[in-house]
Amino acid sequence: MPNQAHFFLDTELFHGKNKNAILDQIQGELTTANLSVSFSKSRPHHSLYQAAKLVATNRLYKEDQSPIVVIGNEASVNAVLNAFLTANPSKRRPLLAIDPDVKHRSVHELIHIIVSSLAKMTIQERPLAAISGEVPNVGTLYFFDTLQVGPDFSALLPDFQQKVIWKKAWEQLLSFWGYLSRSQDRIFFSWTLRQGTDYQHNAKTLGLQIRLVDSPGQSPFMVRMVNQVAFPKILWTYLQGKKGRQNPSRRGFITFPLAEQADFHIRDLQSPKLDGSLLKAGAYSFTLKMAGSYPLIQATTNHQKKNEKKN
């Protein structure tokens, strides 16, 4: 029998007329399968972080060792992760992240993946990072993979060897065009980075990503940023970079490695609300560091399920 778990559902990722029916079906099938120790979902005025915090601090689950299942995206996972680690940093329950992707899989298939994954309980330790300081309140914020500051430029930033995800790039261009049509001056922010005795100041940054690099022998983090630049140059720079050509306008697109114990100070951040992974508005002053590892449950795939049927 598969393990029971605490379930967290990010309802903001579901859209369309059948949204409520799909959400009810997911909860119903989890209940029928007797998988839920608890079931929580985000609401218009009750975030996934708040829902997870109520479970993490509930006395009924203080000694509970049940794993966590998050049905959502990377931002959803980070929200739930922070709620539990804020309540007890030393207690790290295994976590299963499930992308709902209801357009390409049925609810029954989604539940099957969860059941199979919890039954197998294949655990992989994954590096975890944290920022500690004023974020903006004094505390610690944990994250996997990427911490996003300001608008998301992940499809446009200068990793020119990556596969072009045109749909995502186009969505980001359209979104960014909406902000630029008003004024870049309203969305850029000023920030300072200190690494040991080295200081770096950026007065007009539009988007900043801190990425966790899981590669032996390399710096643990990579910073990717876009400074204020004329809009036409963003697309032109990206296309020229993909062709391997040098372009003077690439000076607005910067990537550099970063060691642990780097100190950031971000002044008066006014982040547009694109998704839950963005830092909220305010002033930030924090130290970036590694936070050990976290046990993740590997999700079964369609390929694995087909092999199981053959056997």
Side-chain angles (χ1 to χ4, degrees), residues 158-190:
D159 184 2
F160 292 120
Q161 300 305 314
Q162 70 185 4
K163 181 180 179 180
V164 183
I165 308 175
W166 285 111
K167 181 180 179 181
K168 186 175 181 182
W170 182 244
E171 288 174 352
Q172 290 178 8
L173 278 169
L174 289 178
S175 178
F176 188 51
W177 176 262
Y179 296 118
L180 291 193
S181 63
R182 295 190 295 270
S183 174
Q184 285 190 28
D185 292 340
R186 296 184 182 182
I187 63 172
F188 74 70
F189 55 91
S190 173

PDB file of all heavy atoms in Angstrom, residues 158-190:
ATOM      1  N   PRO A 158      20.976  35.110 -21.409  1.00  0.00           N
ATOM      2  CA  PRO A 158      21.999  34.703 -22.372  1.00  0.00           C
ATOM      3  C   PRO A 158      22.632  33.329 -22.180  1.00  0.00           C
ATOM      4  O   PRO A 158      23.831  33.192 -22.205  1.00  0.00           O
ATOM      5  CB  PRO A 158      23.051  35.802 -22.214  1.00  0.00           C
ATOM      6  CG  PRO A 158      22.956  36.187 -20.786  1.00  0.00           C
ATOM      7  CD  PRO A 158      21.502  36.097 -20.457  1.00  0.00           C
ATOM      8  N   ASP A 159      21.812  32.293 -21.969  1.00  0.00           N
ATOM      9  CA  ASP A 159      22.339  30.935 -22.062  1.00  0.00           C
ATOM     10  C   ASP A 159      22.053  30.505 -23.491  1.00  0.00           C
ATOM     11  O   ASP A 159      21.121  29.761 -23.774  1.00  0.00           O
ATOM     12  CB  ASP A 159      21.630  30.025 -21.057  1.00  0.00           C
ATOM     13  CG  ASP A 159      22.205  28.634 -21.040  1.00  0.00           C
ATOM     14  OD1 ASP A 159      23.171  28.408 -21.787  1.00  0.00           O
ATOM     15  OD2 ASP A 159      21.692  27.773 -20.316  1.00  0.00           O
ATOM     16  N   PHE A 160      22.875  30.996 -24.434  1.00  0.00           N
ATOM     17  CA  PHE A 160      22.524  30.904 -25.846  1.00  0.00           C
ATOM     18  C   PHE A 160      22.604  29.491 -26.422  1.00  0.00           C
ATOM     19  O   PHE A 160      22.191  29.247 -27.538  1.00  0.00           O
ATOM     20  CB  PHE A 160      23.420  31.833 -26.667  1.00  0.00           C
ATOM     21  CG  PHE A 160      23.163  33.290 -26.391  1.00  0.00           C
ATOM     22  CD1 PHE A 160      24.157  34.100 -25.902  1.00  0.00           C
ATOM     23  CD2 PHE A 160      21.913  33.822 -26.601  1.00  0.00           C
ATOM     24  CE1 PHE A 160      23.924  35.440 -25.638  1.00  0.00           C
ATOM     25  CE2 PHE A 160      21.662  35.159 -26.339  1.00  0.00           C
ATOM     26  CZ  PHE A 160      22.671  35.971 -25.858  1.00  0.00           C
ATOM     27  N   GLN A 161      23.150  28.547 -25.641  1.00  0.00           N
ATOM     28  CA  GLN A 161      23.209  27.185 -26.133  1.00  0.00           C
ATOM     29  C   GLN A 161      21.925  26.415 -25.808  1.00  0.00           C
ATOM     30  O   GLN A 161      21.739  25.285 -26.243  1.00  0.00           O
ATOM     31  CB  GLN A 161      24.413  26.457 -25.506  1.00  0.00           C
ATOM     32  CG  GLN A 161      25.751  27.117 -25.831  1.00  0.00           C
ATOM     33  CD  GLN A 161      25.976  27.268 -27.319  1.00  0.00           C
ATOM     34  OE1 GLN A 161      25.742  26.332 -28.086  1.00  0.00           O
ATOM     35  NE2 GLN A 161      26.415  28.440 -27.738  1.00  0.00           N
ATOM     36  N   GLN A 162      21.051  27.034 -25.020  1.00  0.00           N
ATOM     37  CA  GLN A 162      19.835  26.327 -24.639  1.00  0.00           C
ATOM     38  C   GLN A 162      18.892  26.196 -25.824  1.00  0.00           C
ATOM     39  O   GLN A 162      18.960  26.937 -26.792  1.00  0.00           O
ATOM     40  CB  GLN A 162      19.121  27.080 -23.515  1.00  0.00           C
ATOM     41  CG  GLN A 162      18.511  28.406 -23.964  1.00  0.00           C
ATOM     42  CD  GLN A 162      17.926  29.181 -22.807  1.00  0.00           C
ATOM     43  OE1 GLN A 162      18.039  28.775 -21.682  1.00  0.00           O
ATOM     44  NE2 GLN A 162      17.314  30.310 -23.114  1.00  0.00           N
ATOM     45  N   LYS A 163      17.997  25.207 -25.741  1.00  0.00           N
ATOM     46  CA  LYS A 163      16.980  25.036 -26.761  1.00  0.00           C
ATOM     47  C   LYS A 163      16.021  26.210 -26.699  1.00  0.00           C
ATOM     48  O   LYS A 163      15.615  26.637 -25.625  1.00  0.00           O
ATOM     49  CB  LYS A 163      16.238  23.715 -26.530  1.00  0.00           C
ATOM     50  CG  LYS A 163      15.165  23.429 -27.556  1.00  0.00           C
ATOM     51  CD  LYS A 163      14.484  22.113 -27.256  1.00  0.00           C
ATOM     52  CE  LYS A 163      13.382  21.832 -28.266  1.00  0.00           C
ATOM     53  NZ  LYS A 163      12.689  20.544 -27.983  1.00  0.00           N
ATOM     54  N   VAL A 164      15.661  26.738 -27.850  1.00  0.00           N
ATOM     55  CA  VAL A 164      14.767  27.893 -27.876  1.00  0.00           C
ATOM     56  C   VAL A 164      13.347  27.448 -27.537  1.00  0.00           C
ATOM     57  O   VAL A 164      12.776  26.609 -28.224  1.00  0.00           O
ATOM     58  CB  VAL A 164      14.760  28.566 -29.260  1.00  0.00           C
ATOM     59  CG1 VAL A 164      13.867  29.810 -29.239  1.00  0.00           C
ATOM     60  CG2 VAL A 164      16.161  28.933 -29.668  1.00  0.00           C
ATOM     61  N   ILE A 165      12.795  27.980 -26.468  1.00  0.00           N
ATOM     62  CA  ILE A 165      11.408  27.695 -26.112  1.00  0.00           C
ATOM     63  C   ILE A 165      10.598  28.887 -26.591  1.00  0.00           C
ATOM     64  O   ILE A 165      10.334  29.838 -25.848  1.00  0.00           O
ATOM     65  CB  ILE A 165      11.270  27.499 -24.586  1.00  0.00           C
ATOM     66  CG1 ILE A 165      12.278  26.470 -24.091  1.00  0.00           C
ATOM     67  CG2 ILE A 165       9.854  27.066 -24.226  1.00  0.00           C
ATOM     68  CD1 ILE A 165      12.302  26.308 -22.592  1.00  0.00           C
ATOM     69  N   TRP A 166      10.218  28.860 -27.849  1.00  0.00           N
ATOM     70  CA  TRP A 166       9.650  30.039 -28.482  1.00  0.00           C
ATOM     71  C   TRP A 166       8.347  30.480 -27.824  1.00  0.00           C
ATOM     72  O   TRP A 166       8.097  31.669 -27.674  1.00  0.00           O
ATOM     73  CB  TRP A 166       9.419  29.775 -29.967  1.00  0.00           C
ATOM     74  CG  TRP A 166      10.692  29.802 -30.745  1.00  0.00           C
ATOM     75  CD1 TRP A 166      11.317  28.748 -31.336  1.00  0.00           C
ATOM     76  CD2 TRP A 166      11.525  30.944 -30.992  1.00  0.00           C
ATOM     77  NE1 TRP A 166      12.484  29.151 -31.928  1.00  0.00           N
ATOM     78  CE2 TRP A 166      12.636  30.499 -31.741  1.00  0.00           C
ATOM     79  CE3 TRP A 166      11.446  32.296 -30.653  1.00  0.00           C
ATOM     80  CZ2 TRP A 166      13.650  31.349 -32.156  1.00  0.00           C
ATOM     81  CZ3 TRP A 166      12.454  33.149 -31.073  1.00  0.00           C
ATOM     82  CH2 TRP A 166      13.538  32.668 -31.805  1.00  0.00           C
ATOM     83  N   LYS A 167       7.510  29.527 -27.429  1.00  0.00           N
ATOM     84  CA  LYS A 167       6.242  29.890 -26.815  1.00  0.00           C
ATOM     85  C   LYS A 167       6.474  30.665 -25.528  1.00  0.00           C
ATOM     86  O   LYS A 167       5.876  31.716 -25.299  1.00  0.00           O
ATOM     87  CB  LYS A 167       5.415  28.637 -26.522  1.00  0.00           C
ATOM     88  CG  LYS A 167       4.055  28.966 -25.899  1.00  0.00           C
ATOM     89  CD  LYS A 167       3.260  27.700 -25.627  1.00  0.00           C
ATOM     90  CE  LYS A 167       1.923  28.043 -24.976  1.00  0.00           C
ATOM     91  NZ  LYS A 167       1.131  26.831 -24.677  1.00  0.00           N
ATOM     92  N   LYS A 168       7.382  30.163 -24.690  1.00  0.00           N
ATOM     93  CA  LYS A 168       7.665  30.832 -23.428  1.00  0.00           C
ATOM     94  C   LYS A 168       8.333  32.180 -23.672  1.00  0.00           C
ATOM     95  O   LYS A 168       8.016  33.185 -23.018  1.00  0.00           O
ATOM     96  CB  LYS A 168       8.558  29.953 -22.560  1.00  0.00           C
ATOM     97  CG  LYS A 168       8.796  30.509 -21.159  1.00  0.00           C
ATOM     98  CD  LYS A 168       9.576  29.528 -20.315  1.00  0.00           C
ATOM     99  CE  LYS A 168       9.784  30.084 -18.910  1.00  0.00           C
ATOM    100  NZ  LYS A 168      10.582  29.159 -18.071  1.00  0.00           N
ATOM    101  N   ALA A 169       9.272  32.220 -24.628  1.00  0.00           N
ATOM    102  CA  ALA A 169       9.953  33.477 -24.938  1.00  0.00           C
ATOM    103  C   ALA A 169       8.954  34.524 -25.425  1.00  0.00           C
ATOM    104  O   ALA A 169       9.012  35.686 -25.043  1.00  0.00           O
ATOM    105  CB  ALA A 169      11.033  33.237 -25.994  1.00  0.00           C
ATOM    106  N   TRP A 170       8.027  34.093 -26.278  1.00  0.00           N
ATOM    107  CA  TRP A 170       7.041  35.029 -26.817  1.00  0.00           C
ATOM    108  C   TRP A 170       6.130  35.553 -25.721  1.00  0.00           C
ATOM    109  O   TRP A 170       5.810  36.744 -25.675  1.00  0.00           O
ATOM    110  CB  TRP A 170       6.226  34.342 -27.904  1.00  0.00           C
ATOM    111  CG  TRP A 170       5.220  35.231 -28.565  1.00  0.00           C
ATOM    112  CD1 TRP A 170       3.868  35.117 -28.547  1.00  0.00           C
ATOM    113  CD2 TRP A 170       5.491  36.398 -29.359  1.00  0.00           C
ATOM    114  NE1 TRP A 170       3.273  36.126 -29.264  1.00  0.00           N
ATOM    115  CE2 TRP A 170       4.250  36.928 -29.785  1.00  0.00           C
ATOM    116  CE3 TRP A 170       6.663  37.047 -29.762  1.00  0.00           C
ATOM    117  CZ2 TRP A 170       4.151  38.069 -30.580  1.00  0.00           C
ATOM    118  CZ3 TRP A 170       6.556  38.186 -30.554  1.00  0.00           C
ATOM    119  CH2 TRP A 170       5.315  38.689 -30.950  1.00  0.00           C
ATOM    120  N   GLU A 171       5.706  34.671 -24.796  1.00  0.00           N
ATOM    121  CA  GLU A 171       4.854  35.094 -23.689  1.00  0.00           C
ATOM    122  C   GLU A 171       5.569  36.128 -22.817  1.00  0.00           C
ATOM    123  O   GLU A 171       4.978  37.116 -22.388  1.00  0.00           O
ATOM    124  CB  GLU A 171       4.458  33.881 -22.839  1.00  0.00           C
ATOM    125  CG  GLU A 171       3.451  32.962 -23.527  1.00  0.00           C
ATOM    126  CD  GLU A 171       3.194  31.713 -22.713  1.00  0.00           C
ATOM    127  OE1 GLU A 171       3.909  31.493 -21.710  1.00  0.00           O
ATOM    128  OE2 GLU A 171       2.281  30.947 -23.082  1.00  0.00           O
ATOM    129  N   GLN A 172       6.859  35.892 -22.571  1.00  0.00           N
ATOM    130  CA  GLN A 172       7.627  36.826 -21.746  1.00  0.00           C
ATOM    131  C   GLN A 172       7.838  38.152 -22.468  1.00  0.00           C
ATOM    132  O   GLN A 172       7.796  39.221 -21.853  1.00  0.00           O
ATOM    133  CB  GLN A 172       8.962  36.206 -21.359  1.00  0.00           C
ATOM    134  CG  GLN A 172       8.806  35.058 -20.368  1.00  0.00           C
ATOM    135  CD  GLN A 172      10.121  34.412 -20.014  1.00  0.00           C
ATOM    136  OE1 GLN A 172      11.178  34.905 -20.394  1.00  0.00           O
ATOM    137  NE2 GLN A 172      10.062  33.317 -19.300  1.00  0.00           N
ATOM    138  N   LEU A 173       8.048  38.095 -23.786  1.00  0.00           N
ATOM    139  CA  LEU A 173       8.207  39.325 -24.559  1.00  0.00           C
ATOM    140  C   LEU A 173       6.929  40.168 -24.517  1.00  0.00           C
ATOM    141  O   LEU A 173       6.974  41.380 -24.319  1.00  0.00           O
ATOM    142  CB  LEU A 173       8.565  38.986 -26.009  1.00  0.00           C
ATOM    143  CG  LEU A 173      10.039  38.689 -26.292  1.00  0.00           C
ATOM    144  CD1 LEU A 173      10.186  38.122 -27.694  1.00  0.00           C
ATOM    145  CD2 LEU A 173      10.876  39.951 -26.149  1.00  0.00           C
ATOM    146  N   LEU A 174       5.786  39.502 -24.712  1.00  0.00           N
ATOM    147  CA  LEU A 174       4.519  40.223 -24.685  1.00  0.00           C
ATOM    148  C   LEU A 174       4.264  40.825 -23.315  1.00  0.00           C
ATOM    149  O   LEU A 174       3.810  41.966 -23.192  1.00  0.00           O
ATOM    150  CB  LEU A 174       3.374  39.283 -25.073  1.00  0.00           C
ATOM    151  CG  LEU A 174       3.317  38.854 -26.534  1.00  0.00           C
ATOM    152  CD1 LEU A 174       2.164  37.877 -26.742  1.00  0.00           C
ATOM    153  CD2 LEU A 174       3.191  40.050 -27.460  1.00  0.00           C
ATOM    154  N   SER A 175       4.553  40.037 -22.262  1.00  0.00           N
ATOM    155  CA  SER A 175       4.352  40.530 -20.908  1.00  0.00           C
ATOM    156  C   SER A 175       5.264  41.719 -20.630  1.00  0.00           C
ATOM    157  O   SER A 175       4.839  42.737 -20.095  1.00  0.00           O
ATOM    158  CB  SER A 175       4.618  39.408 -19.903  1.00  0.00           C
ATOM    159  OG  SER A 175       4.480  39.885 -18.586  1.00  0.00           O
ATOM    160  N   PHE A 176       6.531  41.581 -21.033  1.00  0.00           N
ATOM    161  CA  PHE A 176       7.497  42.640 -20.797  1.00  0.00           C
ATOM    162  C   PHE A 176       7.149  43.889 -21.613  1.00  0.00           C
ATOM    163  O   PHE A 176       7.319  45.016 -21.148  1.00  0.00           O
ATOM    164  CB  PHE A 176       8.892  42.138 -21.142  1.00  0.00           C
ATOM    165  CG  PHE A 176       9.985  43.091 -20.746  1.00  0.00           C
ATOM    166  CD1 PHE A 176      10.036  43.606 -19.463  1.00  0.00           C
ATOM    167  CD2 PHE A 176      10.969  43.462 -21.643  1.00  0.00           C
ATOM    168  CE1 PHE A 176      11.039  44.486 -19.083  1.00  0.00           C
ATOM    169  CE2 PHE A 176      11.975  44.339 -21.274  1.00  0.00           C
ATOM    170  CZ  PHE A 176      12.012  44.848 -19.995  1.00  0.00           C
ATOM    171  N   TRP A 177       6.623  43.686 -22.824  1.00  0.00           N
ATOM    172  CA  TRP A 177       6.232  44.816 -23.663  1.00  0.00           C
ATOM    173  C   TRP A 177       5.158  45.642 -22.964  1.00  0.00           C
ATOM    174  O   TRP A 177       5.138  46.869 -23.045  1.00  0.00           O
ATOM    175  CB  TRP A 177       5.707  44.324 -25.009  1.00  0.00           C
ATOM    176  CG  TRP A 177       5.209  45.436 -25.887  1.00  0.00           C
ATOM    177  CD1 TRP A 177       3.915  45.834 -26.054  1.00  0.00           C
ATOM    178  CD2 TRP A 177       6.001  46.309 -26.681  1.00  0.00           C
ATOM    179  NE1 TRP A 177       3.843  46.898 -26.913  1.00  0.00           N
ATOM    180  CE2 TRP A 177       5.106  47.209 -27.324  1.00  0.00           C
ATOM    181  CE3 TRP A 177       7.361  46.420 -26.925  1.00  0.00           C
ATOM    182  CZ2 TRP A 177       5.551  48.203 -28.183  1.00  0.00           C
ATOM    183  CZ3 TRP A 177       7.798  47.417 -27.790  1.00  0.00           C
ATOM    184  CH2 TRP A 177       6.906  48.283 -28.405  1.00  0.00           C
ATOM    185  N   GLY A 178       4.272  44.986 -22.228  1.00  0.00           N
ATOM    186  CA  GLY A 178       3.232  45.708 -21.501  1.00  0.00           C
ATOM    187  C   GLY A 178       3.816  46.650 -20.466  1.00  0.00           C
ATOM    188  O   GLY A 178       3.319  47.756 -20.264  1.00  0.00           O
ATOM    189  N   TYR A 179       4.909  46.215 -19.805  1.00  0.00           N
ATOM    190  CA  TYR A 179       5.559  47.068 -18.805  1.00  0.00           C
ATOM    191  C   TYR A 179       6.349  48.190 -19.486  1.00  0.00           C
ATOM    192  O   TYR A 179       6.315  49.329 -19.059  1.00  0.00           O
ATOM    193  CB  TYR A 179       6.483  46.245 -17.922  1.00  0.00           C
ATOM    194  CG  TYR A 179       5.751  45.216 -17.111  1.00  0.00           C
ATOM    195  CD1 TYR A 179       6.014  43.867 -17.282  1.00  0.00           C
ATOM    196  CD2 TYR A 179       4.785  45.584 -16.182  1.00  0.00           C
ATOM    197  CE1 TYR A 179       5.332  42.903 -16.547  1.00  0.00           C
ATOM    198  CE2 TYR A 179       4.092  44.638 -15.444  1.00  0.00           C
ATOM    199  CZ  TYR A 179       4.374  43.301 -15.627  1.00  0.00           C
ATOM    200  OH  TYR A 179       3.702  42.363 -14.916  1.00  0.00           O
ATOM    201  N   LEU A 180       7.026  47.851 -20.590  1.00  0.00           N
ATOM    202  CA  LEU A 180       7.847  48.854 -21.262  1.00  0.00           C
ATOM    203  C   LEU A 180       7.003  49.914 -21.954  1.00  0.00           C
ATOM    204  O   LEU A 180       7.462  51.033 -22.161  1.00  0.00           O
ATOM    205  CB  LEU A 180       8.765  48.192 -22.285  1.00  0.00           C
ATOM    206  CG  LEU A 180       9.888  47.316 -21.732  1.00  0.00           C
ATOM    207  CD1 LEU A 180      10.877  47.000 -22.831  1.00  0.00           C
ATOM    208  CD2 LEU A 180      10.600  47.992 -20.586  1.00  0.00           C
ATOM    209  N   SER A 181       5.788  49.539 -22.355  1.00  0.00           N
ATOM    210  CA  SER A 181       4.933  50.516 -23.018  1.00  0.00           C
ATOM    211  C   SER A 181       4.592  51.656 -22.065  1.00  0.00           C
ATOM    212  O   SER A 181       4.241  52.746 -22.494  1.00  0.00           O
ATOM    213  CB  SER A 181       3.646  49.845 -23.512  1.00  0.00           C
ATOM    214  OG  SER A 181       2.894  49.352 -22.411  1.00  0.00           O
ATOM    215  N   ARG A 182       4.683  51.382 -20.760  1.00  0.00           N
ATOM    216  CA  ARG A 182       4.486  52.455 -19.777  1.00  0.00           C
ATOM    217  C   ARG A 182       5.815  53.155 -19.512  1.00  0.00           C
ATOM    218  O   ARG A 182       5.971  54.325 -19.773  1.00  0.00           O
ATOM    219  CB  ARG A 182       3.893  51.867 -18.492  1.00  0.00           C
ATOM    220  CG  ARG A 182       2.496  51.306 -18.684  1.00  0.00           C
ATOM    221  CD  ARG A 182       1.860  50.960 -17.347  1.00  0.00           C
ATOM    222  NE  ARG A 182       2.556  49.888 -16.673  1.00  0.00           N
ATOM    223  CZ  ARG A 182       2.245  48.601 -16.830  1.00  0.00           C
ATOM    224  NH1 ARG A 182       1.290  48.262 -17.661  1.00  0.00           N
ATOM    225  NH2 ARG A 182       2.895  47.669 -16.171  1.00  0.00           N
ATOM    226  N   SER A 183       6.775  52.399 -18.965  1.00  0.00           N
ATOM    227  CA  SER A 183       8.092  52.976 -18.714  1.00  0.00           C
ATOM    228  C   SER A 183       8.982  51.961 -18.013  1.00  0.00           C
ATOM    229  O   SER A 183       8.563  51.347 -17.026  1.00  0.00           O
ATOM    230  CB  SER A 183       7.981  54.237 -17.837  1.00  0.00           C
ATOM    231  OG  SER A 183       9.287  54.687 -17.490  1.00  0.00           O
ATOM    232  N   GLN A 184      10.197  51.781 -18.511  1.00  0.00           N
ATOM    233  CA  GLN A 184      11.134  50.910 -17.824  1.00  0.00           C
ATOM    234  C   GLN A 184      11.465  51.474 -16.443  1.00  0.00           C
ATOM    235  O   GLN A 184      11.774  50.737 -15.517  1.00  0.00           O
ATOM    236  CB  GLN A 184      12.440  50.772 -18.627  1.00  0.00           C
ATOM    237  CG  GLN A 184      12.321  49.880 -19.840  1.00  0.00           C
ATOM    238  CD  GLN A 184      13.683  49.572 -20.446  1.00  0.00           C
ATOM    239  OE1 GLN A 184      14.687  49.562 -19.751  1.00  0.00           O
ATOM    240  NE2 GLN A 184      13.701  49.313 -21.739  1.00  0.00           N
ATOM    241  N   ASP A 185      11.387  52.805 -16.324  1.00  0.00           N
ATOM    242  CA  ASP A 185      11.756  53.443 -15.062  1.00  0.00           C
ATOM    243  C   ASP A 185      10.875  52.971 -13.904  1.00  0.00           C
ATOM    244  O   ASP A 185      11.252  53.103 -12.742  1.00  0.00           O
ATOM    245  CB  ASP A 185      11.666  54.967 -15.193  1.00  0.00           C
ATOM    246  CG  ASP A 185      12.723  55.516 -16.139  1.00  0.00           C
ATOM    247  OD1 ASP A 185      13.713  54.796 -16.373  1.00  0.00           O
ATOM    248  OD2 ASP A 185      12.550  56.633 -16.640  1.00  0.00           O
ATOM    249  N   ARG A 186       9.709  52.427 -14.213  1.00  0.00           N
ATOM    250  CA  ARG A 186       8.797  52.005 -13.158  1.00  0.00           C
ATOM    251  C   ARG A 186       9.082  50.593 -12.660  1.00  0.00           C
ATOM    252  O   ARG A 186       8.492  50.178 -11.662  1.00  0.00           O
ATOM    253  CB  ARG A 186       7.352  52.074 -13.668  1.00  0.00           C
ATOM    254  CG  ARG A 186       6.918  53.492 -14.014  1.00  0.00           C
ATOM    255  CD  ARG A 186       5.452  53.510 -14.422  1.00  0.00           C
ATOM    256  NE  ARG A 186       5.022  54.851 -14.801  1.00  0.00           N
ATOM    257  CZ  ARG A 186       3.787  55.155 -15.159  1.00  0.00           C
ATOM    258  NH1 ARG A 186       2.853  54.211 -15.187  1.00  0.00           N
ATOM    259  NH2 ARG A 186       3.471  56.384 -15.496  1.00  0.00           N
ATOM    260  N   ILE A 187       9.899  49.833 -13.384  1.00  0.00           N
ATOM    261  CA  ILE A 187      10.105  48.446 -12.961  1.00  0.00           C
ATOM    262  C   ILE A 187      11.559  48.110 -12.642  1.00  0.00           C
ATOM    263  O   ILE A 187      11.818  47.085 -12.031  1.00  0.00           O
ATOM    264  CB  ILE A 187       9.576  47.451 -14.014  1.00  0.00           C
ATOM    265  CG1 ILE A 187      10.347  47.580 -15.337  1.00  0.00           C
ATOM    266  CG2 ILE A 187       8.091  47.625 -14.227  1.00  0.00           C
ATOM    267  CD1 ILE A 187      10.001  46.502 -16.337  1.00  0.00           C
ATOM    268  N   PHE A 188      12.536  48.934 -13.052  1.00  0.00           N
ATOM    269  CA  PHE A 188      13.915  48.567 -12.738  1.00  0.00           C
ATOM    270  C   PHE A 188      14.199  48.819 -11.265  1.00  0.00           C
ATOM    271  O   PHE A 188      13.508  49.575 -10.590  1.00  0.00           O
ATOM    272  CB  PHE A 188      14.916  49.290 -13.646  1.00  0.00           C
ATOM    273  CG  PHE A 188      15.129  50.753 -13.351  1.00  0.00           C
ATOM    274  CD1 PHE A 188      15.791  51.169 -12.206  1.00  0.00           C
ATOM    275  CD2 PHE A 188      14.700  51.717 -14.253  1.00  0.00           C
ATOM    276  CE1 PHE A 188      16.022  52.507 -11.943  1.00  0.00           C
ATOM    277  CE2 PHE A 188      14.919  53.064 -14.000  1.00  0.00           C
ATOM    278  CZ  PHE A 188      15.567  53.449 -12.840  1.00  0.00           C
ATOM    279  N   PHE A 189      15.230  48.146 -10.747  1.00  0.00           N
ATOM    280  CA  PHE A 189      15.589  48.317  -9.342  1.00  0.00           C
ATOM    281  C   PHE A 189      17.109  48.403  -9.214  1.00  0.00           C
ATOM    282  O   PHE A 189      17.858  47.982 -10.095  1.00  0.00           O
ATOM    283  CB  PHE A 189      15.045  47.158  -8.489  1.00  0.00           C
ATOM    284  CG  PHE A 189      15.444  45.785  -8.954  1.00  0.00           C
ATOM    285  CD1 PHE A 189      16.583  45.161  -8.475  1.00  0.00           C
ATOM    286  CD2 PHE A 189      14.655  45.104  -9.870  1.00  0.00           C
ATOM    287  CE1 PHE A 189      16.948  43.896  -8.894  1.00  0.00           C
ATOM    288  CE2 PHE A 189      15.002  43.834 -10.304  1.00  0.00           C
ATOM    289  CZ  PHE A 189      16.151  43.227  -9.817  1.00  0.00           C
ATOM    290  N   SER A 190      17.532  48.969  -8.099  1.00  0.00           N
ATOM    291  CA  SER A 190      18.953  49.139  -7.806  1.00  0.00           C
ATOM    292  C   SER A 190      19.370  48.112  -6.756  1.00  0.00           C
ATOM    293  O   SER A 190      18.627  47.873  -5.797  1.00  0.00           O
ATOM    294  CB  SER A 190      19.201  50.562  -7.292  1.00  0.00           C
ATOM    295  OG  SER A 190      20.531  50.707  -6.850  1.00  0.00           O
TER     296      SER A 190
END
